[in-house]
Amino acid sequence: MENEEGQSHRKKRSKIEEIVKEAKSDRISALPDCLLTEIVSRLPYPKDAVNTRKLSKRWKHVWNCIPNLKFKRRDVDYYERTYVPPLPCFFSSVNMFLSQRGQSTINKFELSTSYEPQFESQVNKWIRYAISCNVKDLNLRFFDGGYFDLEPRFVFDQSFYVNSCITDLTLAGCLLDPFEGISWKNLRTLYIKHGIMDDDLMETILSGTPLLETLNLEYCYGYGRLDITSKSLKNLVISGYVFPEYLDSDSDDHVDFVEINAPSILSLKIEEELGLSKILLKDVSSLVKVGLDYETEKGDDGKKVPWHHDWEEEMLERLLLSLTHVNEVNIGYNCCNALYRLKAGGFKRLSNLKVPDVTLPLSSETDLEDLADWAEMGDY
């Protein structure tokens, strides 16, 4: 039989081996693959995820399965004050990452970068890859010199216009030109910024997105009519409508007003700067909530010319009279001046209007004391 000294030595050795084993295999690495993937997917950038493979053999392939991919590059990064790689290096690193990733499902693919035509084929290759991985949320933003360009330039392959996997789509600085229509069968949310959207293109988009629920057009231009007959689309946002300076006012692409026919939408927002003389609401009979926080386009010096006041009042009055059936109409700061002038001119009380708390100056054009008085009295 083993003597006491031998037993004690064996126990100590066993304890040392256990400690060494625990040191070599940390508790986090012992977690299931699904939890490790969740940890790595919460890192801010794909390059951080790739670097986790250096931790141990256990982490070597975890990064391949992260479902959310975010590639972001600014020409000048004033806020984060981090090193910004040259554009070719950025595209090369994204190429390398995706070529090694494999075909696991992608929930969200986000790309934000300045754009140069020579990289167009690479970006389209990345989009095809994301779609092949059944991407749900596709977010593409292209800008020029740190700011979004008013002239969209990125051109998609025609294959992009036919897919059944994308549910949320964000496009900024992209030129939409589908030759044979659009078929985004499961798209629920569409956000387009700085896009050229004529009436034919809008009709193509709306007819090709049968499940679309939210449409957000931010500083898009060219469309004069939104004919939304779909019963699934419930939320419409028009956030800015300004023609670029290079577009002549006599051009066929120049639109003076927008007509909206949307019998099934429940929510409507009209905000930011508008280069339109009026917005006509035809059938919006299902609307429940509306937000109006727009301002008319300013001159080159940043100031509104006097005749804009008439436009503002006429546009706002026409909109309000078309919205008397709506439960709640929220008036933002940008519309308060025009609303006050309407009230001063005898505009009758509408019970569904809600105005902001005017504790801060709106502009020199508004008598704040009078505005506060009638807002407090419940006139609006």
Side-chain angles (χ1 to χ4, degrees):
M1 294 183 63
E2 188 176 22
N3 57 33
E4 293 184 4
E5 185 177 351
Q7 289 179 353
S8 176
H9 180 73
R10 183 173 58 83
K11 288 181 179 179
K12 288 181 179 180
R13 182 176 180 180
S14 178
K15 184 66 174 178
I16 292 172
E17 289 176 348
E18 183 180 339
I19 293 173
V20 171
K21 184 178 180 181
E22 185 175 349
K24 289 182 177 180
S25 178
D26 62 88
R27 293 183 179 182
I28 294 180
S29 294
L31 294 172
D33 286 351
C34 59
L35 292 180
L36 291 182
T37 301
E38 178 65 22
I39 292 172
V40 174
S41 66
R42 292 176 181 271
L43 296 173
Y45 298 107
K47 64 180 181 181
D48 300 321
V50 174
N51 286 335
T52 61
R53 64 184 177 178
K54 301 176 183 178
L55 296 175
S56 70
K57 291 182 179 180
R58 181 73 175 82
W59 292 81
K60 188 173 182 179
H61 300 291
V62 174
W63 69 274
N64 277 312
C65 300
I66 59 174
N68 300 322
L69 304 180
K70 181 179 181 180
F71 305 101
K72 179 181 177 182
R73 179 191 180 276
R74 293 280 184 183
D75 282 351
V76 180
D77 201 335
Y78 293 109
Y79 299 102
E80 297 182 5
R81 297 185 181 278
T82 55
Y83 167 71
V84 179
L87 197 58
C89 293
F90 171 78
F91 277 84
S92 178
S93 64
V94 176
N95 269 336
M96 183 176 298
F97 178 92
L98 296 180
S99 66
Q100 299 177 19
R101 181 183 178 275
Q103 290 294 132
S104 59
T105 300
I106 297 176
N107 289 334
K108 183 173 184 177
F109 185 98
E110 181 176 350
L111 174 66
S112 179
T113 178
S114 54
Y115 172 71
E116 293 295 338
Q118 65 264 32
F119 299 114
E120 188 173 287
S121 61
Q122 291 189 45
V123 175
N124 273 301
K125 182 180 179 181
W126 301 344
I127 295 170
R128 290 195 298 270
Y129 168 76
I131 292 175
S132 73
C133 294
N134 295 312
V135 62
K136 302 296 183 185
D137 186 344
L138 184 62
N139 189 320
L140 305 173
R141 297 170 179 263
F142 299 99
F143 52 86
D144 181 18
Y147 299 94
F148 284 98
D149 197 349
L150 287 178
E151 183 181 4
R153 295 186 293 167
F154 177 75
V155 179
F156 293 96
D157 284 348
Q158 291 302 305
S159 61
F160 167 72
Y161 298 109
V162 179
N163 73 75
S164 58
C165 60
I166 300 176
T167 59
D168 300 274
L169 181 60
T170 298
L171 304 174
C174 300
L175 184 63
L176 296 175
D177 189 21
F179 295 156
E180 299 180 0
I182 285 176
S183 180
W184 293 329
K185 295 181 179 179
N186 287 306
L187 192 66
R188 261 69 174 183
T189 302
L190 177 59
Y191 168 70
I192 302 177
K193 182 174 183 178
H194 292 164
I196 304 174
M197 314 292 294
D198 61 27
D199 290 341
D200 291 338
L201 178 56
M202 286 305 313
E203 183 179 354
T204 299
I205 291 174
L206 292 171
S207 63
T209 53
L211 301 182
L212 191 65
E213 298 171 359
T214 299
L215 175 62
N216 189 329
L217 302 174
E218 182 172 352
Y219 284 100
C220 296
Y221 68 92
Y223 62 92
R225 178 177 174 82
L226 292 176
D227 192 7
I228 303 173
T229 58
S230 169
K231 293 184 179 181
S232 66
L233 205 157
K234 301 300 182 183
N235 308 298
L236 174 62
V237 179
I238 298 177
S239 183
Y241 192 119
V242 177
F243 292 95
E245 295 180 359
Y246 64 81
L247 187 64
D248 193 288
S249 59
D250 296 327
S251 169
D252 293 337
D253 295 327
H254 202 284
V255 176
D256 188 47
F257 67 92
V258 170
E259 180 178 292
I260 300 175
N261 180 57
S264 297
I265 63 171
L266 302 178
S267 172
L268 171 65
K269 286 185 180 180
I270 302 175
E271 55 191 12
E272 300 297 333
E273 193 174 3
L274 301 179
L276 301 167
S277 64
K278 53 189 174 182
I279 294 179
L280 303 178
L281 301 181
K282 293 299 184 181
D283 185 355
V284 288
S285 53
S286 297
L287 272 178
V288 175
K289 187 174 183 178
V290 174
L292 301 177
D293 192 19
Y294 63 85
E295 59 180 341
T296 56
E297 189 176 9
K298 300 175 182 177
D300 294 336
D301 58 356
K303 299 179 180 179
K304 296 178 183 178
V305 291
W307 48 265
H308 270 160
H309 289 173
D310 295 335
W311 278 19
E312 285 182 328
E313 293 166 27
E314 183 181 347
M315 180 187 293
L316 183 59
E317 182 176 16
R318 182 182 285 107
L319 286 171
L320 294 179
L321 292 177
S322 300
L323 298 171
T324 55
H325 65 288
V326 178
N327 291 345
E328 181 179 327
V329 179
N330 292 287
I331 302 297
Y333 285 102
N334 287 326
C335 288
C336 276
N337 289 316
L339 183 60
Y340 172 71
R341 292 194 299 270
L342 282 175
K343 191 267 180 182
F347 187 72
K348 296 182 179 180
R349 168 183 175 175
L350 297 176
S351 60
N352 62 352
L353 293 189
K354 295 184 180 298
V355 298
D357 182 15
V358 285
T359 56
L360 296 175
L362 298 175
S363 80
S364 58
E365 302 167 0
T366 302
D367 188 328
L368 291 177
E369 185 175 348
D370 289 346
L371 182 58
D373 286 345
W374 59 258
E376 186 177 344
M377 290 188 297
D379 284 358
Y380 289 83

